[in-house]
Amino acid sequence: MNVNQSVPPVPSFGQPQPVYPGYHQSSYGGQSGSTAPTIPYGAYNGPVPGYQQTPPQGMSRAPPSSGAPPSSTAQAPCGQAAYGQFGQGDVQNGPSSTVQMQRLPGSQPFGSPLAPVGNQPAVLQPYGPPPTSAQVTAQLSGMQISGAVAPAPPSSGLGYGPPTSLASASGSFPNSGLYGSYPQGQAPPLSQAQGHPGIQTPQRSAPSQASGFTPPASGGPRLPSMTGPLLPGQSFGGPSVSQPNHVSSPPPQALPPGTQMTGPLGPLPPMHSPQQPGYQPQQNGSFGPTRGPQPNYGSPYPAAPTFGSQSGPQPLPPKRLDPDAIPSPIQVIEDDRNNRGTEPFVTGVRGQVPPLVTTNFLVKDQGNASPRYIRCTSYNIPCTSDMAKQAQVPLAAVIKPLARLPPEEASPYVVDHGESGPLRCNRCKAYMCPFMQFIEGGRRFQCCFCSCINDVPPQYFQHLDHTGKRVDAYDRPELSLGSYEFLATVDYCKNSKFPSPPAFIFMIDVSYNAIRTGLVRLLCEELKSLLDFLPREGGAEESAIRVGFVTYNKVLHFYNVKSSLAQPQMMVVSDVADMFVPLLDGFLVNVNESRAVITSLLDQIPEMFADTRETETVFVPVIQAGMEALKAAECAGKLFLFHTSLPIAEAPGKLKNRDDRKLINTDKEKTLFQPQTGAYQTLAKECVAQGCCVDLFLFPNQYVDVATLSVVPQLTGGSVYKYACFQVENDQERFLSDLRRDVQKVVGFDAVMRVRTSTGIRAVDFFGAFYMSNTTDVELAGLDGDKTVTVEFKHDDRLNEESGALLQCALLYTSCAGQRRLRIHNLALNCCTQLADLYRNCETDTLINYMAKFAYRGVLNSPVKAVRDTLITQCAQILACYRKNCASPSSAGQLILPECMKLLPVYLNCVLKSDVLQPGAEITTDDRAYVRQLVTSMDVAETNVFFYPRLLSLTKSPIESTTEPPAVRASEERLSNGDMYLLENGLNLFLWVGASVQQGVVQSLFSVSSFSQITSGLSVLPVLDNPLSKKVRGLIDSLRAQRSRYMKLIVVKQEDKLEMLFKHFLVEDKSLSGGASYVDFLCHMHKEIRQLLS
Amino acid sequence: MATYLEFIQQNEERDGVRFSWNVWPSSRLEATRMVVPLACLLTPLKERPDLPPVQYEPVLCSRPTCKACNIDMPALIKLFPSFQFPPAYGGISEVNQPAELMPQFSTIEYMIQRGAQSPLIFLYVVDTCLEEDDLQALKESLQMSLSLLPPDALVGLITFGRMVQVHELSCEGISKSYVFRGTKDLTAKQIQDMLGLTKPAMPMQQARPVQPQEHPFASTRFLQPVHKIDMNLTDLLGELQRDPWPVTQGKRPLRSTGVALSIAVGLLEGTFPNTGARIMLFTGGPPTQGPGMVVGDELKIPIRSWHDIEKDNARFMKKATKHYEMLANRTAANGHCIDIYACALDQTGLLEMKCCANLTGGYMVMGDSFNTSLFKQTFQRIFTKDFNGDFRMAFGATLDVKTSRELKIAGAIGPCVSLNVKGPCVSENELGVGGTSQWKICGLDPTSTLGIYFEVVNQHNAPIPQGGRGAIQFVTHYQHSSTQRRIRVTTIARNWADVQSQLRHIEAAFDQEAAAVLMARLGVFRAESEEGPDVLRWLDRQLIRLCQKFGQYNKEDPTSFRLSDSFSLYPQFMFHLRRSPFLQVFNNSPDESSYYRHHFARQDLTQSLIMIQPILYSYSFHGPPEPVLLDSSSILADRILLMDTFFQIVIYLGETIAQWRKAGYQDMPEYENFKHLLQAPLDDAQEILQARFPMPRYINTEHGGSQARFLLSKVNPSQTHNNLYAWGQVRNFQVFGEDAKLTE
């Protein structure tokens, strides 16, 4: 504990704050019983005022750098209270606030111990009484009890069963007049004064912290407090942070949590008891719970007793977790943004945990690869496999070798080592990197991966300086940077021949369906202009990429578009059973040279097939044709396949409709995810061998068996796009936008990726869109900047704490211009002998990325239920291990989460409820297969938002504000019917309009006079010249710009039919398909953990 | 004798028929002893400008097994006593006799009005693995040919190289073709499926329930009327590129002739069965891949030679031959014909492909390059027209032969296939393609000639009454180039004669020219399946037996040997036949042999004789050109020789003449006669060239010229290095060779 705390300065701060309150309480424990409450209260009130007034002092002074952290903690108590109230009230809605109200009571009982400082006492009280809540409390208490005793059964029932009650509860919340009134009422007054501004502006928060701090103020006192009181404080801090979810609380203190974590462990129990008393009064403030949330979830245990004794009435209500009290993703994201978004992330230090993916930050490469290229589940690896097994934390890296960088960051330098090729270790073949040790005056170097000592070739020799560093270290990217590229020599090329520039082949379905929907016409029209934007390298005048065209239905039509022809020539190949390419010269051409012919062709294609009656299509032969064409041209390339229907024509790869919903939830469900025939895999292998990447655009009207069709794109590093029931009017923009992006994006072809590690760990498993013919080389026919490979590591030996662990990811690829290159990413990680270090350096987002991919692959082979159970078990084990080994002893009834993983349950729940693992009735088999393969190559940012969608309130922030609007937790309870929200998950984009949104707003956004006139399902907002419209449209555009796929907007009105669709994405709620709500899941998790611990 | 010559000539002109014997031995035994079988050369479509087709349909003999057409009444009535005049002839009177009843109309042509007329079809199958200038020349020839085709004829285009492309001619703008892999053998059904020829059935019904005319359209996407698409096709041909697939050094281009032909056959089979159609294959090299492949693509392995074949070392030959035979039979069954135009310096696989032309009555043309006048003019000549302005080609003919009961049909040799029609008049002994009384001749022209062999079955002890006549009727159903169906009927009757008593008579009626050609056909036919020496021995034996039978000589006295005039030339023909490329494969490639044999089996008597024994004319100041012996003694220094071997026209300047020419005397006004002398053979050669199909190779050479070998190889080597000095004479020429000599 102490150690931990002391070590990181930041944490210390975090602690102080919490400590403070805790301190008093704890110390006074007995006394406080009565007094405490008042104090906190006072404190509470105090903070608010203090906020405005004192803020500067505490903040700025206490910790210069850490200032932020403390603030958060400080805020936690007061701010939270304050915030919780209006933060929620304001931000969330009337209803949400009410929710809090209700919860408060509930929370009190068990939350109370957690969150001592209640700001909203008033509210709480009223709620406490509600009968509904009583039930819940009962359940909760049950939980606690169970925790204490052995009430597994009840708990389980509680945890999961409760949902219904919860729902009702939530329903009831909104009603709470108090709250509703409160927030609203307050909003104006309070918010104006503090809440609002405070929330948004960092300054405010600062003050709050200050206020909170001021009391403990001096660094000195804090420290001591740390040690002793820390625990409570920590606990507080922890909770506070989470609670504060209030976006407002800017105090950056991601780190403190860690400390808190540790803190809480030991001290918690004692703390609680003392606190409770003190809290009771405060608690009402719901704050108690808020704090508690993170560290001590279940903490109720101690609380309960105390409460029970102390507050008669309160104990009764306590039932369930207060949703506000449980860790909030929004809060965590917000905190990280505030804490780490301001300064560049410098990669010089080993084992640094980077900012969250949701945070905007710049990276300075000083020897380790940017987190944009590699993110790890943990930056501190257990030294031994025993530890790793114990912790069950998967060791994985999510690697995006060709990730796009923001313009401010330089793309990797290209290094040319001349004819001899890149300098490598003779034994393990690792590439020269900053971690290589030069010895013997620079004549030799020792490989950092395998310790082999190699001679430095004469032309590479350089003297060492007094630190043993090469004098030219900073002149050479490979000696100073984490990421760089080597020019490959001919030895790195296929057939020992430098590659030709790659080619793009557009293969267009011209069967009846494609023609009827207008797809072909649209596509051909678009291609005419799009061909000018083929990816090119550096400053190249024109793209080196050649293009070819094929149309097909039951037979294939190749086109000769040689520049010397007056008219394109069509060549029909009907021998689909034995596909071949009918022409060589004139099939792949330079766009500029053959422009006239290509234009003529694209003009004629829609005409030629306008009267087609052919409804049957083939699929495998099409890809085969493309692949053969590339083979004949001796180049790598990419096929863009535009396909509409299940390939039922007589040909290899013929499919039948096997969509059978009856299989869901049976052992045979996995067959829905498996390809129908092996022909597709075989084909994919051939494609990979040829460097033929396949991007598939699907336009199905009905089942097309995505599971099978996507095999080839999946294994060749391609993408699948799906536009169900495509109609030009509705889907044109989305399709064209995706197409443009897909065509223009920079791609590496014919790539091989290899991950080398220092001795002790080894890459053992890989997830993503690629093919592997052996156990080490990831073969990618194509790799673009959106594709990610997740690599799992396992120990095969002991690691050394001092030397750490190194990863080197080497990607050999052919650039768009046909240049063969090697991209190298290096990353050094710490190693630890203490589990606590592991837990302190984890990244939940990455963890979820790995777990989702793991699970999504699992459904191919195991029943979905088994996969879900595995996930839950693993998660429980991770958390139980933490609880057992790292957290201070506390009652079993407490749920204690590591700070770094406090969102693990909520995110995991999202994974569990996802369409793949728990399909709703409206989800088609194709959709599931589609999502499944999509997730496989997602990066961390994408999985993050995909599983926990972003919900932005549109009217809460001033129109003129240029920052992104405040985010809201994805729960219906958080929606205010007077507000509008944007929800996005990387694939979907909804604009939810509350029923009582101001008419003016409706008018200025939709150009209609009332809510009822808004067209439900609208996908385009009218272009209106007013600030709100501009802002919303601008926001939508910027959201789209952040995602690799175009998100089609759907306007959803409250209480409308479409709302069901929307609600599906409110992932904190119980889902229709049976997915647990966040709270329920947390309870369930808690139960699991306790089972493991007992 | 003169009468017989006239008779024979008259018969040939009127009926296109020449019999080996014009008086027939009356019994089987005697007939066998005559050595030369009773046979005839029939030119079914012999041009008869004087023969107007009659506009009604023939009347058939009512006996179901007979079905002869009723002509030549006197003979007929005797032949077929049961014959009854049908009602149509009710108006017959002395003055108004139907043509059938007039004796000069032993050959009559009927036009049949019923039945839908379908246009002629020309399907070009073009090799694109050619040298640039070759391809260019070929493209020009093809483009030119479009203007020669009848406007309503349907044309199609298939090109091939490594792949096979079937060009769709109906579409505007973008040119469209169906492409097939050149290595894969496809069934007719597959081909039709892949070309979408079987598709119309389903969607059409839905779209337009009653659209019978839709069918031809759908099926003719690949075959369009010339007048509609000649512009298109001209452009398309113009844009034809050489096969774009790279050919690495040391390799032959991959050429999918087998598949291309197979697709062509399948296409026509599916769209226009039993309609006159020509598949015209233009190829510039051997098939090197897929079914029908003749040689691999490794240049270091040469294409098979006779030597290889004898050693059984031609690994692709059997398979390829089988492939092409299968195609040829299918084509014949559909009534289409396949022409092969092979122009290359090396062999092109004619040996394997020959059956395509042989069985379907198609043409076979062999040249060195498409960029030669030999090819260009030959190709052009296919589209020449006759006196009526009709193309000199006919399609889908069936030849039905009927005989009176003393005769049976032993077989036929010519560009035909058997229709396997058995009947009472079909002999069990086969000569040529036998076992049937009907043959199919898918493509024929006015010179196409079949040899038809008969057998006298009358037993010796069942004598034919004095003055009795045997009758044979040839009924040829065919599609005229004007697309009409026509029937030509020729009825022949000859007297029977008893060999014992009337040998002289029979002898005099011997047509030695016809006999020579007929025997030669038999020999060549045998040579296709038997070893060369065996055939020669057989021929020799036949000749000896004939001489035994008809020669007059004293035993042990060679000098006393005499043959009557009607036999006098026959041994000479046989001598030259033995040396001809039809039976000698030495110095000829297998392709050349196939080529020569092909033409030998289809040309008429005159041309066949030229082939057997080339004609040699001698030009000198001493008089008008005179035919001279095909003998080395005819090669004199002061003569110009013109030799016509059918396949070659050789002009040879004697040593002195050549020197004069070199000295330029022809340009001097005072030696104008020399100029004329030089010009005379050229003019005569031109005349021959004009008429001949295929264009012969035209060789203008002189004493000592390398090309003189064409002449030297043909002449009778009466002087050789062996006997030159032994004879003590200094002759001006010698021929090196080990052959037997005709004289001596």
Side-chain angles (χ1 to χ4, degrees), chain A residues 559 565-575 578-585 601 604 608 613-614 632, chain B residues 163 165 172-181 184 186 193-195 199 203 207 236 239 241 244-246:
Chain A
Y559 295 93
L565 294 176
Q567 279 286 331
Q569 293 176 347
M570 177 205 253
M571 303 178 136
V572 185
V573 173
S574 343
D575 190 1
D578 193 6
M579 191 37 69
F580 63 97
V581 182
L583 76 171
L584 183 59
D585 192 24
L601 171 67
Q604 290 185 57
M608 271 191 295
R613 288 192 158 66
E614 187 56 70
Chain B
M163 312 277 172
Q165 277 177 267
E172 299 282 317
I174 206 161
S175 74
K176 191 171 170 185
S177 59
Y178 283 67
V179 188
F180 296 82
R181 198 192 269 274
K184 195 174 172 188
L186 298 165
D193 279 348
M194 289 180 186
L195 290 175
K199 199 165 47 180
L236 186 60
E239 282 198 341
Q241 299 293 316
W245 299 87

Side-chain angles (χ1 to χ4, degrees), chain A residues 1-6 11-23 73 76 114 223 225-241 253 256-268 271 275 291-292 294-296 882 888 899:
Chain A
M1 296 276 307
N2 295 339
V3 176
N4 292 336
Q5 297 166 354
S6 65
S12 69
F13 273 96
Q15 296 166 356
Q17 303 167 350
V19 171
Y20 208 21
Y23 203 169
T73 53
L114 309 176
L223 292 177
S225 66
M226 309 287 284
T227 56
L230 287 185
L231 305 179
Q234 294 166 354
S235 70
F236 257 54
S240 67
V241 173
Q253 269 204 344
T259 57
Q260 297 166 358
M261 313 294 290
T262 59
L265 306 177
L268 281 183
M271 289 303 292
Q275 290 176 356
R291 304 251 176 112
Q294 304 171 342
N296 9 333
Y882 173 75
S888 58
E899 177 61 24

